């Protein structure tokens, strides 16, 4: 297993800078996910690691080797793409073996690796089939198997599940996580789907406009987002954001949510008057009292079985999302009250940076 180090990485296309002075250390044996909105540079970064895209500046090291000038074939890594890119005229066995054959590897070793990969991915019964005889999930397993047989130092995945239907994506997420646990090889995975990131990663890198916004475990990013962008991007459904003003005194922070109400938070302090108060849908309590209380009207009910998401309208006309138990029976147009405690909210200053609690 090998780790990866990116130092001062930049990528420009003419005057357009896609990646700007990016620094990142990927630990040996971890499952790192690069996530962010479309156009944030995550796939470009992955392609630079793979050697498929030249870097404009900086240093890429795999283990203790600087690989800036090494072609992709000499970096000892494997990449799984969004498209399966299987050879249509070859059966699965030949698709798996093709790269090893080009490396002039002994036939016995090729057979061993192909058999091992097929056992890991449970595709032994597919070895004699052509790609046209496979389902989407089976094709993706073969594409992953083609990466496994190389026994690389790093696995790179570029949105490998985006072409699958919703149910199959869930199944393949489980299989990829299981594969990581079995192999223990360093994996770097690109996706725009933060649910994929949260369910598979040991650490997540949130990118925006070619820059890293935050790096951390799924738990850290969800419960301690360092800025307003990360708070809004991580979590499904999205976090609720309310504009507010704040003033500090000896008893803590006095918060006035615009046209809604006031409350105090003794463990918080800030020098910026304009802030944002963010509340996860599951942090709201329904028809209970707390320091922040709102009377709302239900304008949409999303029933998901084990849980319900209520779209509610507050006095300012803004819509919020509230999570409720699937056993509850709320109706469209029903008026309810929702509440939240100060310690269950997230606070961000005028620049969108997290306001830390005094005891944090």
């Amino acid at each position: 297993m090998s780790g990866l180090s990116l130092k001062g990485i930049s990528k420009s296309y003419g005057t357009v800078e896609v990646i700007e002075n990016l620094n990142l250390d990927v630990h040996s044996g971890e499952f790192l996910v690069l996530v962010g909105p479309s156009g944030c540079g995550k796939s470009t970064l992955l392609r630079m690691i793979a050697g498929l895209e030249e870097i404009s500046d900086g240093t890429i090291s795999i283990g203790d080797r600087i690989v800036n000038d090494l072609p992709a074939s000499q970096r000892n890594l494997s990449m799984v793409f969004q498209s399966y890119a299987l050879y249509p005229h070859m059966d699965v066995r030949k698709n798996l073996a093709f790269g090893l054959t080009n490396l002039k590897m002994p036939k016995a070793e090729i057979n061993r690796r192909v058999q091992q990969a097929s056992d890991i991915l449970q595709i032994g019964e597919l070895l004699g089939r052509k790609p046209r005889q496979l389902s989407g999930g089976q094709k993706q397993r073969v594409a992953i198997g083609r990466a496994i047989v190389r026994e690389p130092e790093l696995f790179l995945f570029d949105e490998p599940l985006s072409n699958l239907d919703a149910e199959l994506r869930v199944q393949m997420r489980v299989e990829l996580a299981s594969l990581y646990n079995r192999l223990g090889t360093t994996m770097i995975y690109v996706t725009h789907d933060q649910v994929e990131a949260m369910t598979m990663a040991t650490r997540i890198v949130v990118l925006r406009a070619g820059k890293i916004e935050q790096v951390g475990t799924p738990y850290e990013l969800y419960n301690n987002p360092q800025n307003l962008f990360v708070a809004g991007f991580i979590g499904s459904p999205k976090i609720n954001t309310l504009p507010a003003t704040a003033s500090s005194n000896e008893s803590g922070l006095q918060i006035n949510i615009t046209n809604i109400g006031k409350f105090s938070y003794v463990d918080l302090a800030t020098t910026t008057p304009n802030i944002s108060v963010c509340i996860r849908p599951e942090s709201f309590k329904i028809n209970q009292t707390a320091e922040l209380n709102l009377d709302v009207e239900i304008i949409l009910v999303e029933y998901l079985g084990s849980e319900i998401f209520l779209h509610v309208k507050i006095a300012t006309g803004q819509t919020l999302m509230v999570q409720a138990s699937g056993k509850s029976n709320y109706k469209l147009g029903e008026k309810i009250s929702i509440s939240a405690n100060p310690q269950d909210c997230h606070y961000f200053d005028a620049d969108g940076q997290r306001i830390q609690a005094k005891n944090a």
Side-chain angles (χ1 to χ4, degrees):
M1 291 187 295
S2 294
L4 173 77
S5 181
L6 307 176
K7 302 294 185 186
I9 297 298
S10 296
K11 177 63 180 179
S12 299
Y13 296 100
T15 58
V16 179
E17 195 160 34
V18 180
I19 304 289
E20 181 181 348
N21 192 31
L22 186 143
N23 296 282
L24 177 66
D25 288 320
V26 182
H27 305 148
S28 176
E30 79 171 327
F31 195 130
L32 186 89
V33 175
L34 305 176
V35 69
S38 296
C40 70
K42 53 190 184 295
S43 289
T44 300
L45 182 60
L46 197 74
R47 291 175 62 84
M48 288 193 291
I49 294 169
L52 302 176
E53 195 83 55
E54 290 185 1
I55 64 174
S56 301
D57 197 11
T59 301
I60 300 176
S61 300
I62 299 176
D64 57 0
R65 296 182 304 148
I66 294 176
V67 298
N68 287 25
D69 299 322
L70 287 182
S73 61
Q74 295 179 26
R75 296 194 181 191
N76 195 20
L77 47 78
S78 287
M79 189 164 178
V80 179
F81 296 91
Q82 181 176 344
S83 59
Y84 314 123
L86 302 179
Y87 298 106
H89 62 289
M90 296 182 183
D91 62 21
V92 169
R93 185 184 298 277
K94 289 181 179 178
N95 265 282
L96 293 175
F98 183 73
L100 304 180
T101 302
N102 283 347
L103 294 173
K104 296 182 170 53
M105 191 172 287
K107 188 173 182 180
E109 177 63 13
I110 293 175
N111 291 337
R112 181 192 70 79
R113 294 193 183 191
V114 169
Q115 188 60 50
Q116 182 182 49
S118 67
D119 290 343
I120 290 172
L121 296 168
Q122 298 179 1
I123 56 173
E125 73 279 5
L126 307 178
L127 292 176
R129 297 188 192 179
K130 298 287 181 64
R132 65 177 179 273
Q133 298 171 300
L134 305 178
S135 68
Q138 290 170 336
K139 290 177 183 177
Q140 193 56 275
R141 286 189 186 90
V142 175
I144 294 169
R146 192 167 51 188
I148 289 174
V149 296
R150 293 178 60 87
E151 298 183 354
E153 294 180 65
L154 291 174
F155 283 105
L156 308 180
F157 296 90
D158 190 7
E159 302 198 47
L161 309 184
S162 58
N163 289 336
L164 305 179
D165 61 55
E167 183 178 352
L168 193 51
R169 286 181 74 154
V170 173
Q171 179 184 339
M172 286 301 298
R173 283 206 305 264
V174 173
E175 292 189 13
L176 278 173
S178 178
L179 175 66
Y180 165 71
N181 290 329
R182 288 198 299 271
L183 297 179
T185 307
T186 308
M187 296 185 178
I188 305 174
Y189 187 102
V190 162
T191 182
H192 64 276
D193 184 340
Q194 54 92 18
V195 175
E196 282 184 16
M198 293 288 285
T199 54
M200 293 195 295
T202 55
R203 282 198 305 157
I204 298 173
V205 178
V206 181
L207 292 168
R208 178 171 61 159
K211 297 180 180 179
I212 294 176
E213 293 290 333
Q214 187 174 350
V215 181
T217 65
Y219 180 90
E220 290 168 344
L221 266 61
Y222 190 81
N223 292 286
N224 193 31
Q226 292 303 296
N227 58 52
L228 198 54
F229 174 79
V230 175
F233 191 82
I234 298 295
S236 180
K238 280 186 71 170
I239 201 168
N240 299 291
T241 303
L242 296 166
T245 57
S247 59
S248 295
N249 57 33
E250 62 279 357
S251 62
L253 197 68
Q254 307 302 306
I255 299 168
N256 182 7
I257 298 180
T258 308
N259 297 322
I260 292 176
K262 300 178 181 180
F263 64 95
S264 61
Y265 191 10
V266 296
D267 290 332
L268 209 64
T270 182
T271 57
T272 179
N274 297 311
I275 69 170
S276 296
V277 178
C278 296
I279 311 168
R280 298 278 183 200
E282 68 273 16
S283 295
F284 279 116
K285 297 175 176 60
I286 300 175
N287 294 330
Q288 298 180 38
T289 57
E291 292 197 50
L292 173 61
N293 298 283
L294 302 169
D295 292 321
V296 301
E297 179 184 350
I298 299 173
I299 59 174
L300 181 65
V301 178
E302 290 186 90
Y303 180 71
L304 302 179
S306 62
E307 60 191 4
I308 293 174
F309 290 111
L310 305 176
H311 298 244
V312 301
K313 185 168 67 174
I314 61 178
T316 61
Q318 184 178 347
T319 300
L320 305 180
M321 286 279 278
V322 180
Q323 182 176 321
S325 167
K327 295 181 179 180
S328 51
N329 188 26
Y330 294 102
K331 304 294 184 183
L332 188 66
E334 184 177 351
K335 290 180 171 56
I336 60 173
S337 66
I338 59 174
S339 61
N341 291 312
Q343 63 268 28
D344 295 328
C345 303
H346 303 268
Y347 304 88
F348 302 91
D349 63 21
D351 295 324
Q353 298 305 303
R354 185 178 186 83
I355 303 171
Q356 295 287 358
K358 294 176 184 177
N359 58 1

